[in-house]
């Protein structure tokens, strides 16, 4: 398999951190062009610092980290530190990384990287609110058509919401940005809660990760143990879903997932349902599809991929 040139737009975030570790552990398959961070789970300054911390722990200072939008396009910021800890990285050690962030902001980096490379050659994984990507698309109207495969962690259909009754966090945090991206024609593969809830960090899987004597695996195990404690306390789950790593797993092993064409629209204004993703499978013509909605995920296969890669 040839290398995929990839930008990861994220808001680390404990599950973003594991997604980054998985990507860092696949240099044979992924040419990581940049990590572009955004305010979301915690403030933009913290998500950028956190991405730099994970980058330093992984020894991958070759990958630039950019600082992104501090606030959504229109609504007030809403953090998720209750799930991610005050730092955003659970109970991992927090320090000022040696290598600084890159000088350009996230949206600028996305535009420059995509527009300077051949059409379709740059893939994009989005694991946080889509503010940076929407800003990039507004700045460069040709961006959406030039992108390669796009994987989005966001939205919900059958599963209902996780931040409100009807909305998943990444879409709820910036529904206007999500609306721009979903209308852009980039036709993303969307891994919503319907997919990510099929990929759980069960106690057995976390124990298997903790048993691997390798730095990436040990870091991931500590994060997963934090997630398990937090989710047990907050929602009564002993097996937290692995949301963001699913986007990287899809880039590396798409055969682990099944998706269907859908017309995906976002509610942007209703006080009751803002951030809701209306995922319509009833299309009179395939050309109506604006996304591929992931309906099935091989949870065991995704976790085995994670174990195998983080053991290296
Ligand atoms: O709903 C799950 C998403 O919200 C994940 O990206 C997690 O990091 C949080 O941002
Ligand atoms: Ca995230």
């Amino acid at each position: 398999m040839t290398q995929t040139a990839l930008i990861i737009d994220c808001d680390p975030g404990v599950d973003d951190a594991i997604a980054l570790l998985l990507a860092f552990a696949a240099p044979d398959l992924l040419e990581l062009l940049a990590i572009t961070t955004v305010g979301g789970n915690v403030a933009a300054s913290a998500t950028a610092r956190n991405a730099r911390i994970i980058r330093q722990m992984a020894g991958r200072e070759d990958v630039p980290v950019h600082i992104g939008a501090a606030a959504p396009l229109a609504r007030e910021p809403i953090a998720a530190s209750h799930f991610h800890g005050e730092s955003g990285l659970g109970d991992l050690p927090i320090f000022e990384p040696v290598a600084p962030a890159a000088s350009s902001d996230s949206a600028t980096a996305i535009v420059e990287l995509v527009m300077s490379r051949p059409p379709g050659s740059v893939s994009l994984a989005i694991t946080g609110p889509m503010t940076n990507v929407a800003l990039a698309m507004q700045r460069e109207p040709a961006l959406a058509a030039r992108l390669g495969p796009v994987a989005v962690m966001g939205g919900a259909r059958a599963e209902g919401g996780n931040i409100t009754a009807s909305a998943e966090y990444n879409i709820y945090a910036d529904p206007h940005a999500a609306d721009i991206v979903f209308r852009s024609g980039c036709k993303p593969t969307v891994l919503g809660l319907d997919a990510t809830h099929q990929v759980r960090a069960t106690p057995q899987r976390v124990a298997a990760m903790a048993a691997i004597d390798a730095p990436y695996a040990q870091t991931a195990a500590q994060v997963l143990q934090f997630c398990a404690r937090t989710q047990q306390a907050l929602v009564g789950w002993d097996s937290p879903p692995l949301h963001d790593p699913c986007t990287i797993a899809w880039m590396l092993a798409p055969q682990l997932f099944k998706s269907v064409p859908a017309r995906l629209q976002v509610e942007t204004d209703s006080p009751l349902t803002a951030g809701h993703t209306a995922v319509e499978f009833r299309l009179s013509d395939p050309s109506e599809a604006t996304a591929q909605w992931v309906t099935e995920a091989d949870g065991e296969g995704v976790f085995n991929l994670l174990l195998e890669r983080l053991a290296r």
Side-chain angles (χ1 to χ4, degrees):
M1 181 176 169
T2 57
Q3 269 192 323
T4 296
L6 179 66
I7 298 170
I8 301 175
D9 190 75
C10 56
D11 63 334
V14 287
D15 55 332
D16 306 74
I18 294 180
L20 291 176
L21 287 171
L22 178 56
F24 287 142
D28 52 323
L29 300 177
L30 297 176
E31 179 193 5
L32 284 176
L33 301 180
I35 298 168
T36 54
T37 59
V38 66
N41 289 319
V42 291
S45 55
T47 58
R49 177 206 62 204
N50 292 345
R52 291 164 54 218
I53 285 175
I54 298 297
R55 176 181 68 171
Q56 180 166 314
M57 292 170 88
R60 289 298 308 272
E61 283 86 347
D62 57 297
V63 182
V65 171
H66 297 265
I67 302 172
L73 295 185
R75 59 156 296 153
E76 287 303 307
I78 173 166
S81 51
H82 49 306
F83 274 110
H84 298 268
E86 281 312 305
S87 71
L89 287 182
D91 56 6
L92 286 185
I94 299 304
F95 54 89
E96 182 55 29
V98 174
S103 55
S104 59
D105 70 85
S106 292
T108 301
I110 292 167
V111 170
E112 288 178 354
L113 285 167
V114 174
M115 302 311 290
S116 64
R117 288 172 174 252
S121 68
V122 178
S123 298
L124 175 63
I126 308 172
T127 68
M130 297 192 234
T131 318
N132 292 332
V133 180
L135 288 170
M137 289 179 170
Q138 289 176 328
R139 281 189 208 165
E140 177 46 75
L143 182 76
R146 199 176 179 92
L147 277 166
V150 177
V152 170
M153 190 282 131
R157 184 174 189 272
E159 284 291 303
N162 64 357
I163 189 78
T164 68
S166 58
E168 176 278 328
Y169 174 80
N170 285 338
I171 311 301
Y172 181 75
D174 195 341
H176 301 88
D179 187 45
I180 287 170
V181 174
F182 288 137
R183 290 177 186 273
S184 72
C186 71
K187 295 209 174 178
T189 292
V190 183
L191 297 109
L193 300 182
D194 298 16
T196 64
H197 283 185
Q198 298 177 45
V199 184
R200 299 289 183 118
T202 63
Q204 298 76 11
R205 290 172 179 168
V206 175
M209 184 69 77
I212 297 173
D213 183 17
Y216 283 28
Q218 289 300 306
T219 300
Q222 185 176 342
V223 170
L224 291 173
Q225 287 158 353
F226 174 88
C227 291
R229 290 195 304 275
T230 308
Q231 297 242 348
Q232 180 67 53
L234 290 173
V235 293
W237 288 353
D238 69 351
S239 300
L242 272 184
H243 303 295
D244 296 339
C246 285
T247 61
I248 307 304
W250 180 81
M251 289 281 174
L252 298 175
Q255 70 278 10
L256 295 176
F257 302 89
K258 288 183 182 166
S259 65
V260 297
R263 185 175 66 247
L264 201 162
Q265 294 172 285
V266 181
E267 172 56 56
T268 55
D269 302 316
S270 153
L272 179 63
T273 59
H276 176 71
T277 44
V279 185
E280 182 59 77
F281 296 153
R282 290 172 290 255
L283 308 175
S284 53
D285 184 279
S287 63
E288 282 182 40
T290 60
Q292 284 290 124
W293 181 258
V294 178
T295 54
E296 292 181 44
D298 173 356
E300 190 69 13
V302 171
F303 216 87
N304 287 339
L305 172 66
L306 199 57
L307 288 169
E308 188 271 325
R309 281 285 166 177
L310 298 196
R312 296 189 181 201

